Amino acid sequence: MLNLMKSEQYRFVRAKSYYYTGLIYILLIAAATIGLKVVAQSDSSFPYANEQFIYLNVLSMMPVIFVLLFIFPLILMGEDRSVLKNTVAYGYSRQTIYNGKLVITLAGFILFSLVLVAVSVLIASTMVSKDEPTLAQYLSKLLNLLPVMTAGITTYFCLASIMKKNVRLVIMFQVIQFFPYFVLGYLQGRFSWAKWLREHQPVYYLLNAYDEMTYPAWETWAVGGSYTLVFYLLGLYLFTKEEF
């Protein structure tokens, strides 16, 4: 499996979409920060040229980033099926292939996230006024959202293993992750259990990431871990049944 992971790692780090995505995010953060800086210089009473506002903006973008996670699984699972056929021909089991690709994808995403977080902190701390408690809260919230993002990666990876059309992939992801949240929002006024379920959906934590936490920190890890396990097992089962 180590040889397979080395090969997949080589393919992953050479994917241009990986770097283009990071560059776009960095430019967006930099542009937003520069915009706040310019406005603050022209208007001394402008109250939003600070780290807190920048970090809240980043946190408010979490649902969008969640949807765009498909970029990462597609690097290794979006290639032509003949690539997978060749990999199987080399003697690797489908379980080994699936696990190896998933581990490299998750590692690539975590590295990507660490770089972006570091860049966002660096840009914010050098361009606007610093606020240490705000930085600590920002990093804490991002850490708590990590298992939710991991669940998103695993869900996309599961879908990418059996679906070839990217548009269908994104639509199905939204049906799985977002549709239950909004349906439960409609039902919560009628049923008490619907409110509880709605507030334990991955999307709930993302849409409320910029607010004060009203739930224990372990909750996101429990919910994210549950979704990750379910879609990992489902994806592994479906992948072993696929014809290449």
Side-chain angles (χ1 to χ4, degrees):
M1 182 173 177
L2 290 178
N3 290 333
L4 174 64
M5 290 177 65
K6 289 180 181 179
S7 175
E8 297 298 338
Q9 179 187 14
Y10 178 78
R11 289 179 55 206
F12 195 95
V13 298
R14 288 174 61 87
K16 294 181 180 179
S17 60
Y18 185 61
Y19 301 100
Y20 289 156
T21 303
L23 180 60
I24 290 172
Y25 286 159
I26 290 172
L27 290 176
L28 288 174
I29 295 172
T33 308
I34 292 172
L36 291 176
K37 185 72 173 181
V38 170
V39 174
Q41 289 178 342
S42 61
D43 183 1
S44 58
S45 63
F46 185 68
Y48 302 116
N50 52 62
E51 280 189 314
Q52 181 180 18
F53 188 74
I54 292 175
Y55 294 151
L56 288 177
N57 276 336
V58 174
L59 291 170
S60 68
M61 291 175 59
M62 288 297 115
V64 177
I65 296 175
F66 191 63
V67 174
L68 295 178
L69 289 178
F70 73 90
I71 295 169
F72 299 96
L74 288 182
I75 293 175
L76 298 182
M77 199 57 89
E79 297 288 339
D80 185 76
R81 291 293 173 175
S82 62
V83 175
L84 294 173
K85 185 184 296 185
N86 294 336
T87 306
V88 173
Y90 278 113
Y92 294 107
S93 68
R94 297 190 178 208
Q95 181 176 355
T96 299
I97 295 171
Y98 190 88
N99 289 335
K101 288 178 178 289
L102 179 58
V103 169
I104 295 300
T105 299
L106 288 173
F109 169 71
I110 291 174
L111 177 61
F112 178 93
S113 301
L114 289 174
V115 172
L116 277 188
V117 170
V119 170
S120 68
V121 172
L122 179 62
I123 292 176
S125 61
T126 55
M127 296 294 293
V128 295
S129 58
K130 297 180 67 174
D131 186 351
E132 294 299 332
T134 297
L135 174 59
Q137 293 170 6
Y138 173 64
L139 296 177
S140 176
K141 285 188 175 183
L142 289 177
L143 181 62
N144 289 332
L145 290 178
L146 177 59
V148 177
M149 290 298 185
T150 301
I153 290 282
T154 310
T155 304
Y156 264 131
F157 201 86
C158 168
L159 296 173
S161 68
I162 59 173
M163 301 179 70
K164 300 178 182 180
K165 300 294 185 180
N166 294 351
V167 175
R168 294 179 182 176
L169 180 73
V170 175
I171 292 174
M172 184 56 67
F173 179 83
Q174 295 189 57
V175 169
I176 292 172
Q177 295 287 357
F178 286 84
F179 184 70
Y181 175 81
F182 291 111
V183 170
L184 290 170
Y186 173 76
L187 296 176
Q188 68 178 353
R190 303 181 181 182
F191 307 101
S192 58
W193 55 263
K195 184 177 186 297
W196 186 90
L197 283 178
R198 180 175 180 268
E199 294 179 354
H200 290 80
Q201 298 287 309
V203 175
Y204 172 81
Y205 304 111
L206 296 170
L207 291 175
N208 296 278
Y210 55 88
D211 287 332
E212 291 293 329
M213 288 179 56
T214 58
Y215 47 84
W218 59 262
E219 192 172 290
T220 57
W221 290 84
V223 173
S226 299
Y227 271 74
T228 297
L229 180 61
V230 168
F231 283 99
Y232 162 70
L233 294 175
L234 177 61
L236 182 61
Y237 172 78
L238 294 174
F239 187 73
T240 59
K241 303 298 181 181
E242 275 288 285
E243 292 292 336
F244 304 136

